[in-house]
Amino acid sequence: MQTQPKASHFIGGQYVEDTKGAPLVSTYPATGETIATLHSATADVTEQALKAADAARADWAAMTGSERGRILRRAADIIRERNHELSVLETMDTGKPLQETLVADAASGADCLEYFGAIAAGLTGDHIQLGADFAYTVREPLGLCVGIGAWNYPIQIACWKAAPALACGNTMVFKPSEVTPLSALKLAEILIEAGLPAGVFNVVQGFGDVGAALVTDTRVDKVSLTGSVPTGRKVYAAAAEGMKHVTMELGGKSPLIIFDDASLEDAVSASINANFYSSGQICSNGTRVFVQRDILPAFLARLKERTEKATIGDPLDEATNFGPMVNQTQVDITLGYIQKGLDEGATLVTGGKAHARGGLFLEPTVFADVTDEMSIAREEIFGPVMSVLTFDTEEEVLARANDTEFGLAAGVFTSDLTRAHRVVAGFEAGTCWINTYNLTPIEMPFGGVKASGVGRENAQAAIDHYSQLKSVYVGMTPVEAAF
């Protein structure tokens, strides 16, 4: 398929190029082949995007919610019609298996556009009767929003940020990750095709300097970032200088607790999903798997058996269910942590090295006998490395699960639903699962606490992060004064 876009950026309803920008190369992780060469935004391109978004604000905000929602729903329909084409593009840009991208990427983005398109007409304020007087609230857009995406779910993240922003009447400049620049451009094309006015959604490519220029611009009212905790801290601080609204969806080192009364097969399935889906490159992954002592041998035996049956191969082959990592940097980081696990005394159950295919392929790796202080149990790896820890009591494991700077996600497996809800109530995490893991429907808010971020994406909760309330008091009686 054609992977080279018409130009690097999409601004004011059309493609824009400026070859003075630094080269930005996208490669197919399975082979190392260059699939597109783009250019990072120059100062002129960044300014053009901000001007376009600023100029489009008033007219877009003046449209009714129904009109805005209709456009988002049309875009969702177009994405579904082109799901296969978009999924192939996402696979080539990220290396994720087509088996996965066909159901989890563009399709999820379409769900998001449809959801926020459907509720746009209902974004109204409230009437408050105050005796003879009354008050009312008006829900207004924030203005110009900046979205900064991550490389693991490029089009999904672009939709997760664009859909609520646009539904509320905001405009957006979106910067994809420089690692995966392609699918956001397709989203911009589709939105224009669906009837979105020029300038409402713009895409600029670039490295950290481009993101910094966007975040610090005085015309920007809101910043939404998906990324690492170190990057989030920098962006949050920069946004705070201008008193901008923020949503930060950052990293995690999430616990998955498995009690001895859980369904073993379900628990193993969830552990695989929580560590090896997307080759382990998911922020909410449950990479600390706490298993109650009595079932540990059976759990490890079944986990090893199933993990070693992973089909590792060409991501464009729908039979493949475990693909390469996104780039050499992530490979090197992951191999470094595997070595730390060995050096610090963890027991390697399976995997632990580069796959025989070479390149960016690693074996899905499981460590047992992991203790809480080990590097692989405390630091986010963002690769296919599972740490299995042992516990005895509920009180003990809950304290250990919360003993982390992160708080993005957590999960528990047990047949005792009273205990399940008790454990979830005790988790210090923003997104929790009972007897499943990593399901993130658009209808459910998603986000973290502690160092894992602020704010929520998806569901009705996202509306509060992309709009603001104006309160109006209406006096219907004579005004009294002391003199």
Side-chain angles (χ1 to χ4, degrees):
M1 67 176 295
Q2 175 63 37
T3 52
Q4 177 66 44
K6 296 175 184 176
S8 299
H9 320 286
F10 197 95
I11 298 170
Q14 61 188 357
Y15 276 97
V16 172
E17 188 59 275
D18 186 346
T19 57
K20 294 176 185 174
L24 193 155
V25 179
S26 175
T27 59
Y28 180 34
T31 63
E33 167 195 4
T34 295
I35 59 172
T37 301
L38 297 82
H39 294 272
S40 181
T42 60
D44 288 344
V45 166
T46 302
E47 175 63 18
Q48 187 178 341
L50 289 166
K51 276 186 176 179
D54 194 41
R57 284 174 54 178
D59 288 345
W60 179 244
M63 292 174 66
T64 67
S66 295
E67 290 169 331
R68 293 194 296 267
R70 200 172 299 129
I71 292 168
L72 297 181
R73 294 196 306 274
R74 279 199 294 261
D77 290 341
I78 296 169
I79 288 176
R80 290 198 178 98
E81 291 167 6
R82 300 175 192 170
N83 183 54
H84 190 274
E85 170 191 336
L86 293 167
S87 298
V88 169
L89 182 66
E90 204 78 320
T91 288
M92 295 192 73
D93 212 13
T94 65
K96 297 195 298 181
L98 185 60
Q99 180 188 109
E100 178 181 328
T101 57
L102 284 169
V103 298
D105 292 74
S108 172
D111 289 347
C112 188
L113 290 164
E114 183 176 56
Y115 176 86
F116 286 103
I119 68 172
L123 302 180
T124 59
D126 295 315
H127 173 92
I128 307 155
Q129 195 66 43
L130 302 166
D133 293 351
F134 67 93
Y136 64 90
T137 60
V138 180
R139 187 172 291 279
E140 298 181 333
L142 300 177
L144 199 167
C145 301
V146 163
I148 301 177
W151 47 258
N152 56 340
Y153 281 86
I155 195 169
Q156 181 195 77
I157 290 171
C159 290
W160 280 20
K161 297 185 187 309
L166 272 52
C168 290
N170 303 286
T171 59
M172 176 167 279
V173 178
F174 183 78
K175 189 193 87 66
S177 166
E178 63 271 20
V179 178
T180 52
L182 302 181
S183 59
L185 294 170
K186 290 294 185 184
L187 174 62
E189 277 187 42
I190 288 169
L191 284 166
I192 290 293
E193 185 179 342
L196 191 74
V200 174
F201 182 76
N202 310 273
V203 176
V204 296
Q205 309 291 351
F207 301 94
D209 60 319
V210 176
L214 292 171
V215 169
T216 55
D217 192 274
T218 56
R219 289 163 290 190
V220 173
D221 301 289
K222 160 74 186 259
V223 177
S224 178
L225 167 77
T226 299
S228 68
V229 172
T231 300
R233 286 195 172 105
K234 293 176 184 176
V235 172
Y236 200 178
E241 286 290 322
M243 298 296 289
K244 304 179 194 298
H245 299 261
V246 295
T247 300
M248 298 279 130
E249 198 274 279
L250 308 177
K253 193 70 183 176
S254 300
L256 173 55
I257 298 174
I258 300 169
F259 286 94
D260 58 11
D261 63 344
S263 162
L264 183 66
E265 202 66 16
D266 286 346
V268 170
S269 293
S271 300
I272 289 171
N273 289 338
N275 284 271
F276 303 137
Y277 204 67
S278 292
S279 299
Q281 300 166 125
I282 299 177
C283 54
S284 57
N285 269 355
T287 52
R288 291 184 295 145
V289 180
F290 293 88
V291 181
Q292 202 158 22
R293 192 173 305 277
D294 286 350
I295 62 167
L296 180 64
F299 176 86
L300 287 174
R302 185 62 175 139
L303 176 65
K304 181 177 188 294
E305 178 185 12
R306 289 183 57 184
T307 299
E308 291 175 354
K309 290 180 179 178
T311 302
I312 302 173
D314 180 2
L316 290 172
D317 181 348
E318 288 188 51
T320 295
N321 53 31
F322 187 88
M325 301 200 70
V326 73
N327 57 28
Q328 190 62 49
T329 298
Q330 291 304 124
V331 169
D332 293 342
I333 289 171
T334 304
L335 287 174
Y337 274 106
I338 290 172
Q339 188 59 51
K340 285 183 181 180
L342 294 170
D343 293 344
E344 293 177 10
T347 300
L348 184 64
V349 175
T350 187
K353 59 184 184 297
H355 191 265
R357 288 181 65 93
L360 304 180
F361 288 86
L362 295 184
E363 295 176 342
T365 297
V366 177
F367 279 107
D369 302 315
V370 178
T371 56
D372 296 328
E373 71 277 2
M374 291 181 180
S375 299
I376 58 173
R378 300 208 66 81
E379 299 171 19
E380 185 176 35
I381 300 172
F382 224 65
V385 180
M386 182 193 305
S387 295
V388 179
L389 305 94
T390 310
F391 74 95
D392 292 298
T393 69
E394 177 184 325
E395 294 74 19
E396 165 214 342
V397 74
L398 190 56
R400 292 167 63 196
N402 289 333
D403 184 19
T404 172
E405 67 170 323
F406 301 106
L408 182 55
V412 57
F413 268 74
T414 176
S415 62
D416 182 344
L417 285 179
T418 300
R419 174 165 59 189
H421 290 293
R422 188 169 61 239
V423 169
V424 163
F427 277 143
E428 295 172 1
T431 308
C432 300
W433 293 276
I434 293 174
N435 292 334
T436 190
Y437 203 87
N438 259 353
L439 298 181
T440 55
I442 299 304
E443 298 85 352
M444 183 181 86
F446 180 79
V449 299
K450 299 197 285 189
S452 290
V454 294
R456 292 295 179 269
E457 296 194 293
N458 296 339
Q460 186 70 33
I463 297 300
D464 293 331
H465 296 296
Y466 283 98
S467 63
Q468 55 197 351
L469 287 178
K470 176 180 286 181
S471 298
V472 181
Y473 189 107
V474 181
M476 301 294 288
T477 55
V479 176
E480 297 182 2
F483 56 86

CSV table of all heavy atoms in Angstrom, one decimal, residues 401-423:
chain,number,residue,atom,x,y,z
A,401,ALA,N,0.9,-3.9,46.5
A,401,ALA,CA,0.5,-3.4,45.2
A,401,ALA,C,0.5,-1.9,45.1
A,401,ALA,O,0.8,-1.3,44.1
A,401,ALA,CB,-1.0,-4.0,45.0
A,402,ASN,N,0.2,-1.3,46.2
A,402,ASN,CA,0.1,0.2,46.3
A,402,ASN,C,1.4,0.9,46.5
A,402,ASN,O,1.6,2.1,46.4
A,402,ASN,CB,-0.9,0.7,47.3
A,402,ASN,CG,-2.3,0.4,47.0
A,402,ASN,OD1,-2.7,0.3,45.8
A,402,ASN,ND2,-3.2,0.2,48.0
A,403,ASP,N,2.5,0.1,46.8
A,403,ASP,CA,3.8,0.6,47.1
A,403,ASP,C,4.5,1.0,45.9
A,403,ASP,O,5.5,0.3,45.5
A,403,ASP,CB,4.6,-0.4,48.0
A,403,ASP,CG,5.9,0.2,48.4
A,403,ASP,OD1,6.1,1.4,48.4
A,403,ASP,OD2,6.8,-0.6,48.8
A,404,THR,N,4.1,2.0,45.2
A,404,THR,CA,4.7,2.4,43.9
A,404,THR,C,4.3,3.9,43.7
A,404,THR,O,3.3,4.4,44.2
A,404,THR,CB,4.1,1.6,42.7
A,404,THR,OG1,4.6,2.1,41.5
A,404,THR,CG2,2.6,1.5,42.7
A,405,GLU,N,5.1,4.6,42.9
A,405,GLU,CA,4.8,6.0,42.6
A,405,GLU,C,3.7,6.1,41.6
A,405,GLU,O,3.1,7.1,41.4
A,405,GLU,CB,6.0,6.7,42.0
A,405,GLU,CG,6.5,6.2,40.7
A,405,GLU,CD,7.6,7.0,40.0
A,405,GLU,OE1,7.5,8.3,40.1
A,405,GLU,OE2,8.5,6.5,39.4
A,406,PHE,N,3.4,5.0,40.9
A,406,PHE,CA,2.4,5.0,39.8
A,406,PHE,C,1.0,4.6,40.3
A,406,PHE,O,0.9,4.1,41.4
A,406,PHE,CB,2.8,3.9,38.7
A,406,PHE,CG,4.2,4.2,38.1
A,406,PHE,CD1,5.2,3.4,38.4
A,406,PHE,CD2,4.3,5.2,37.2
A,406,PHE,CE1,6.5,3.6,37.8
A,406,PHE,CE2,5.6,5.4,36.6
A,406,PHE,CZ,6.6,4.6,36.9
A,407,GLY,N,0.0,5.0,39.5
A,407,GLY,CA,-1.3,4.6,39.9
A,407,GLY,C,-2.3,4.6,38.7
A,407,GLY,O,-3.4,5.1,38.8
A,408,LEU,N,-1.8,4.1,37.6
A,408,LEU,CA,-2.6,4.1,36.4
A,408,LEU,C,-3.7,3.1,36.4
A,408,LEU,O,-4.9,3.3,36.2
A,408,LEU,CB,-1.8,3.9,35.1
A,408,LEU,CG,-2.6,4.0,33.8
A,408,LEU,CD1,-3.3,5.3,33.7
A,408,LEU,CD2,-1.6,3.9,32.6
A,409,ALA,N,-3.4,1.8,36.7
A,409,ALA,CA,-4.3,0.7,36.6
A,409,ALA,C,-4.0,-0.4,37.7
A,409,ALA,O,-3.0,-0.4,38.3
A,409,ALA,CB,-4.3,0.1,35.2
A,410,ALA,N,-5.0,-1.3,37.8
A,410,ALA,CA,-4.8,-2.4,38.7
A,410,ALA,C,-5.9,-3.4,38.4
A,410,ALA,O,-7.0,-3.0,37.9
A,410,ALA,CB,-4.9,-2.0,40.2
A,411,GLY,N,-5.7,-4.7,38.8
A,411,GLY,CA,-6.7,-5.7,38.5
A,411,GLY,C,-6.6,-6.8,39.6
A,411,GLY,O,-5.6,-7.0,40.3
A,412,VAL,N,-7.8,-7.5,39.7
A,412,VAL,CA,-7.9,-8.6,40.7
A,412,VAL,C,-8.7,-9.7,40.1
A,412,VAL,O,-9.7,-9.5,39.5
A,412,VAL,CB,-8.5,-8.1,42.1
A,412,VAL,CG1,-9.8,-7.4,41.8
A,412,VAL,CG2,-8.5,-9.2,43.1
A,413,PHE,N,-8.2,-10.9,40.4
A,413,PHE,CA,-8.9,-12.1,40.0
A,413,PHE,C,-9.3,-12.9,41.2
A,413,PHE,O,-8.4,-13.3,42.0
A,413,PHE,CB,-8.1,-13.0,39.0
A,413,PHE,CG,-8.3,-12.7,37.6
A,413,PHE,CD1,-7.8,-11.5,37.0
A,413,PHE,CD2,-9.1,-13.5,36.8
A,413,PHE,CE1,-8.0,-11.2,35.7
A,413,PHE,CE2,-9.3,-13.2,35.4
A,413,PHE,CZ,-8.8,-12.0,34.9
A,414,THR,N,-10.6,-13.2,41.4
A,414,THR,CA,-11.1,-14.0,42.5
A,414,THR,C,-12.5,-14.4,42.2
A,414,THR,O,-13.2,-13.6,41.5
A,414,THR,CB,-11.0,-13.2,43.8
A,414,THR,OG1,-11.5,-14.0,44.9
A,414,THR,CG2,-11.7,-11.9,43.8
A,415,SER,N,-13.0,-15.5,42.8
A,415,SER,CA,-14.4,-15.8,42.6
A,415,SER,C,-15.2,-15.2,43.8
A,415,SER,O,-16.5,-15.3,43.8
A,415,SER,CB,-14.5,-17.4,42.6
A,415,SER,OG,-14.1,-17.9,43.8
A,416,ASP,N,-14.6,-14.6,44.7
A,416,ASP,CA,-15.2,-14.0,45.9
A,416,ASP,C,-15.4,-12.5,45.5
A,416,ASP,O,-14.5,-11.7,45.7
A,416,ASP,CB,-14.4,-14.1,47.1
A,416,ASP,CG,-15.0,-13.5,48.4
A,416,ASP,OD1,-16.0,-12.8,48.2
A,416,ASP,OD2,-14.5,-13.8,49.5
A,417,LEU,N,-16.6,-12.2,45.1
A,417,LEU,CA,-16.9,-10.8,44.6
A,417,LEU,C,-16.9,-9.8,45.7
A,417,LEU,O,-16.6,-8.6,45.5
A,417,LEU,CB,-18.2,-10.7,43.8
A,417,LEU,CG,-18.1,-11.3,42.4
A,417,LEU,CD1,-19.5,-11.2,41.7
A,417,LEU,CD2,-17.1,-10.7,41.6
A,418,THR,N,-17.2,-10.2,46.9
A,418,THR,CA,-17.1,-9.3,48.1
A,418,THR,C,-15.6,-8.9,48.2
A,418,THR,O,-15.3,-7.7,48.4
A,418,THR,CB,-17.6,-10.0,49.4
A,418,THR,OG1,-19.0,-10.3,49.2
A,418,THR,CG2,-17.4,-9.0,50.6
A,419,ARG,N,-14.7,-9.9,48.2
A,419,ARG,CA,-13.3,-9.6,48.3
A,419,ARG,C,-12.8,-8.7,47.1
A,419,ARG,O,-12.0,-7.8,47.2
A,419,ARG,CB,-12.5,-10.9,48.4
A,419,ARG,CG,-11.0,-10.6,48.3
A,419,ARG,CD,-10.1,-11.8,48.7
A,419,ARG,NE,-10.4,-13.0,47.9
A,419,ARG,CZ,-9.9,-14.2,48.2
A,419,ARG,NH1,-9.2,-14.4,49.3
A,419,ARG,NH2,-10.1,-15.2,47.4
A,420,ALA,N,-13.4,-9.1,45.9
A,420,ALA,CA,-12.9,-8.3,44.7
A,420,ALA,C,-13.2,-6.8,44.9
A,420,ALA,O,-12.4,-6.0,44.6
A,420,ALA,CB,-13.7,-8.9,43.5
A,421,HIS,N,-14.5,-6.5,45.3
A,421,HIS,CA,-14.8,-5.1,45.5
A,421,HIS,C,-14.0,-4.4,46.6
A,421,HIS,O,-13.7,-3.3,46.6
A,421,HIS,CB,-16.3,-4.9,45.7
A,421,HIS,CG,-17.1,-5.3,44.5
A,421,HIS,ND1,-17.1,-4.5,43.4
A,421,HIS,CD2,-18.0,-6.3,44.2
A,421,HIS,CE1,-17.9,-5.0,42.5
A,421,HIS,NE2,-18.5,-6.1,43.0
A,422,ARG,N,-13.7,-5.2,47.7
A,422,ARG,CA,-12.9,-4.7,48.8
A,422,ARG,C,-11.5,-4.4,48.3
A,422,ARG,O,-11.0,-3.3,48.7
A,422,ARG,CB,-12.9,-5.8,49.9
A,422,ARG,CG,-12.3,-5.3,51.2
A,422,ARG,CD,-12.6,-6.3,52.3
A,422,ARG,NE,-12.0,-7.6,52.0
A,422,ARG,CZ,-12.7,-8.8,52.0
A,422,ARG,NH1,-14.0,-8.7,52.1
A,422,ARG,NH2,-12.1,-9.9,51.7
A,423,VAL,N,-10.9,-5.2,47.5
A,423,VAL,CA,-9.6,-5.0,47.0
A,423,VAL,C,-9.6,-3.8,46.1
A,423,VAL,O,-8.7,-2.9,46.2
A,423,VAL,CB,-9.0,-6.3,46.3
A,423,VAL,CG1,-7.7,-5.9,45.5
A,423,VAL,CG2,-8.8,-7.4,47.3
